[in-house]
Structure formats: structure tokens, C-alpha cells
Amino acid sequence: MNKASIPSSEPIQPQGIPNLALLIPMLSAIVAITPLAIDMYLPAMSTLASSFHSSVTTVQQSLSLYLAGYAMGMLTFGPIADRIGRRPLVLLGLTGFGLISLALAFVTSVEVFLGLRFIQAFIGAAATVVVPGYIKEVYGKNTAKGMSYVSLIMMLAPLIAPTMGSLILELGDWHLIFFILAFYASLLLVLVLTKLRMPSDTHSGARSQRSFFGAYAVVFTKPGVKLHIASGVMTSFAFFCYLTASPFVYMEVFGLDKSLFAILFSTNVGALMLANVINSRIVVKYGSRRMLKVSTLLATVAGLCLLSVNLLGLSYHFTVAALIPFMGFLGVMSVNADAIVLMKFQQETGTATAVIGTLRFGCGALAGPLLALFYTGTAVPFSALMLGAVLLVGLCQFLAHSQQKSL
């Protein structure tokens, strides 16, 4: 058989697209500015409070402000990217993020620090909101495969960022964290200027001509989109439930020390990464819809196991054993739900990404209050909320399937 006739699961690289071995890590590194900016300074919160002669509670507000700024930035820059192109937004976002990071290293008051953190997130969103659009441009109908690669690399950021922050504090003070973030953004800016040149950056014919609000109207009125967006949002809610509750569950409910908690947390991140590797290998064969349905079913089984072992009051070993596959299935659900939505749009991928990201952060922010509302001093509420979110994803998929059959 002629070698050229053998089908490949990799996308056929269109002319003008950079080598994927460089492009995918570069796009992942761009998206990673958000978890790095959030997690790297966490070990320095007490030091920041002392430096500003403020309370740790006040400094902690910078995290909420960052998330709010990021959500507003995505909503603002998503439609703009669809209209003027992605490259200007990447350049604007990385330049602004780097300059604000540099400014943060020199602040002397907590009020200025809080304001600059909001602006840092807002302007940084201009760079990250365009990445899924680039992935779709490269991978086409195999967008979920590309999203898995990006998610796989990006997950390293929240895994190593707190450790990096701690090491930086050993070498210097908190100012150094923001100098390093500024350097990171500058390095990415150089890479983008020299290496990131995509066909869509020069061909304006495929760009959206919709107004700012018109682009959002297209996204929200597109048939077969809302239920898949809801699936991704509910998946994200389950993630946030885990992120919010895991320190309490492991260290307070089960009485584990910080070192063992860090190992178990890393194990679950590893499960997410492994799930993305597996998804990237088989999604081309089975398709995103089937992968989403199967992973939702398997996540339901894992969620039922997680809830059961905590209702029975079993040891933490059983919770860990249920959480590892559960988190992996959530990872598969997440990338495929996003890919299905992005595939619905040709010109409004930035707007669709903004909608997905904002709703995910907004819904994820409810995890903390809901966990507090149902607090029992056990791991049952967090298990029940995670399972409930997955069951809602299953309901969304059932309704989406019913709608598709009726068309």
C-alpha cells in the first residue's frame, strides 16, 4: 500500500501554519498566564499583607477581583477578536499583561494592588480568549484533539505554580513573582511576534461582520448550542467543587497532613492529564459527541461510588480511589463539550469562547457558597454536588439528543 494513502489521525497542516510541535506549546503557554497569575502568588499572601500593612483577608480579595476582571475581559475581547482578527488581541493581551505585571512589582498600597490585579486579568484575557479559535483553525473537525493537547500542557501551570511561588520567596521577596510574570509575558510576546503567523491573521474575508452585541446574539440563538454550553458549565462547576472542597475534605475530614494532601491533589491532576492524552488519541475515531456521552455515563458511575463511600463513612482511600477516575472523566467531558460548541461557529469562535469561559467562572464561583450552605462537617456535600452536576450534564445530553432527532 502506498504510504501516502494511509490515513492519519493528525490534522493535515495547511500551508502557512507553524509547526505543531511549536504551535501547541506556544498556545498552551499563552493560556497558562491565567493559572500562573492566580496560583503563583498564593504562597505570598501573608507577605503581601505585611508589606501593605493590611489584612490577609483584604489581599485575598485580589483573587476574586482577578477572576472578575478575567471574565469581563473575555466578554469584551471575544467579539472584537472575531471582527478584527486574533493576532492583534494576542499582542495587546501579552503586552498589557507584561506591563501591568511589571507595575505590580512596584506598588506600595493594597488599593493600587487590587486595582492593578483587576486590570492585569482584564487585559490578559485578550490573549487567552483567541486560543480556542486558533486550535479550531488548525484541527478543524478534530478540534477536541487539539483542545486535549492544550489542556494537557496547561494543567502543568496550576500544578507547579504554587511551588514556583514558594521557591521564588526563598530567593527573594514577593516583588520577584511579578517580575517573573512580566518576563514570562515578554518571552511569549517575542515568540508570537516571530513565530505565530496563521492564515486567519492575514485573510480577513472569514472574519465576522457582526456588531458587538450581534455576535452574542448569534451565539445564544444558534440551534443545538445552549445545551452543550450548559454541559461544559456544569462540568466546570464539578471541578470547582473539587478545588474548593478538597483541602477541607482531605485535611479536616480525613485528618491528612499538607504533604499527603499535595500528593493526592497532584494525583488527581495527573488523572486529568492522562484522560486528555487518551482523549487526544481516540476522539478522532469516535467523535466528540460519543466521547462526551460515554465519559458522562462513566463519571456518573464514579460519582455514585464517591457519594456512597462517604455516606458509609469509609476511609480516605476509598474517596481517593473514586476521585481519580471521576476527575479523569470530567476532563474528557470538558474538552469535548467545548469542542462541540466551537464547531458550531465559523466566525464567532472568540465570542463563543467568551461565553463559555464567563459562564464557567460564574457558575464555578457558586461552588463555595453552596458547599457552605450544605456544610455537614463531612465529605458528603461535595460528593453530592459533584454527582449532581454530572447528572445535569447527562440531562443536557439527553435533551440535546432528543432535539437532534426531532430536526
Side-chain angles (χ1 to χ4, degrees):
M1 181 183 291
N2 191 323
K3 184 180 290 188
S5 66
I6 299 175
S8 172
S9 61
E10 293 295 332
I12 297 174
Q13 192 166 315
Q15 187 176 4
I17 288 182
N19 188 289
L20 295 183
L22 171 66
L23 179 64
I24 298 303
M26 181 166 43
L27 294 177
S28 303
I30 292 171
V31 178
I33 66 172
T34 300
L36 286 175
I38 291 174
D39 297 326
M40 196 183 291
Y41 87 119
L42 293 180
M45 279 195 173
S46 297
T47 308
L48 284 162
S50 299
S51 178
F52 295 143
H53 305 290
S54 179
S55 66
V56 174
T57 305
T58 302
V59 175
Q60 284 176 335
Q61 299 306 311
S62 63
L63 181 57
S64 298
L65 283 170
Y66 191 96
L67 294 176
Y70 186 69
M72 291 186 65
M74 292 188 77
L75 288 173
T76 301
F77 295 115
I80 294 175
D82 292 333
R83 191 171 180 87
I84 70 171
R86 302 182 187 110
R87 184 177 172 81
L89 271 295
V90 177
L91 298 176
L92 171 67
L94 291 176
T95 302
F97 183 90
L99 291 174
I100 299 301
S101 297
L102 190 61
L104 278 162
F106 294 99
V107 299
T108 56
S109 74
V110 70
E111 292 81 11
V112 176
F113 179 80
L114 295 175
L116 286 178
R117 282 290 283 175
F118 179 89
I119 298 171
Q120 181 191 35
F122 180 85
I123 197 72
T128 62
V129 76
V130 306
V131 170
Y134 276 136
I135 295 296
K136 179 174 176 288
E137 182 179 355
V138 175
Y139 282 86
K141 65 180 182 179
N142 297 323
T143 295
K145 183 183 182 75
M147 295 290 285
S148 291
Y149 286 142
V150 171
S151 297
L152 174 65
I153 300 172
M154 196 195 77
M155 282 174 192
L156 292 173
L159 185 61
I160 66 174
T163 304
M164 288 175 60
S166 298
L167 290 174
I168 291 168
L169 290 176
E170 293 290 331
L171 299 173
D173 58 17
W174 65 266
H175 304 84
L176 187 57
I177 293 174
F178 294 98
F179 280 125
I180 289 175
L181 283 174
F183 174 76
Y184 180 80
S186 301
L187 186 62
L188 282 177
L189 183 62
V190 172
L191 278 173
V192 168
L193 284 169
T194 57
K195 301 296 183 180
L196 184 61
R197 299 190 181 277
M198 302 284 282
S200 62
D201 295 329
T202 54
H203 303 300
S204 59
R207 293 175 191 165
S208 175
Q209 301 302 311
R210 306 271 181 181
S211 65
F212 184 88
F213 293 106
Y216 279 109
V218 170
V219 172
F220 282 111
T221 58
K222 189 81 169 181
V225 165
K226 290 188 282 291
L227 288 170
H228 291 300
I229 290 178
S231 295
V233 169
M234 286 296 100
T235 303
S236 183
F237 176 77
F239 275 126
F240 274 92
C241 282
Y242 169 75
L243 292 173
T244 304
S246 58
F248 166 77
V249 169
Y250 282 133
M251 291 189 285
E252 299 296 328
V253 175
F254 295 118
L256 308 181
D257 60 30
K258 292 181 180 179
S259 299
L260 186 52
F261 164 68
I263 293 171
L264 294 176
F265 188 87
S266 300
T267 301
N268 286 312
V269 174
L272 284 167
M273 296 174 70
L274 178 60
N276 277 284
V277 171
I278 295 171
N279 186 72
S280 68
R281 299 293 177 86
I282 65 177
V283 69
V284 174
K285 180 178 180 180
Y286 295 107
S288 288
R289 292 181 185 274
R290 184 177 296 180
M291 292 296 295
L292 177 55
K293 291 175 183 177
V294 172
S295 58
T296 302
L297 176 61
L298 294 174
T300 301
V301 175
L304 286 169
C305 292
L306 178 65
L307 179 59
S308 299
V309 299
N310 284 294
L311 284 171
L312 294 171
L314 301 180
S315 72
Y316 79 91
H317 302 88
F318 293 91
T319 293
V320 172
L323 266 175
I324 289 174
F326 197 1
M327 297 302 291
F329 296 138
L330 286 176
V332 176
M333 291 164 63
S334 179
V335 294
N336 284 288
D338 287 354
I340 292 170
V341 174
L342 292 175
M343 289 302 298
K344 295 282 186 179
F345 300 98
Q346 296 300 317
Q347 299 177 328
E348 289 82 20
T349 54
T351 307
T353 301
V355 170
I356 293 169
T358 304
L359 289 177
R360 284 191 167 200
F361 275 103
C363 191
L366 297 175
L370 285 174
L371 286 165
L373 178 64
F374 295 111
Y375 174 79
T376 62
T378 70
V380 171
F382 120 95
S383 305
L385 284 174
M386 288 185 72
L387 174 60
V390 172
L391 290 174
L392 286 175
V393 175
L395 176 61
C396 288
Q397 291 308 303
F398 174 77
L399 294 174
H401 181 70
S402 299
Q403 283 185 0
Q404 191 175 11
K405 285 179 66 177
S406 64
L407 294 178

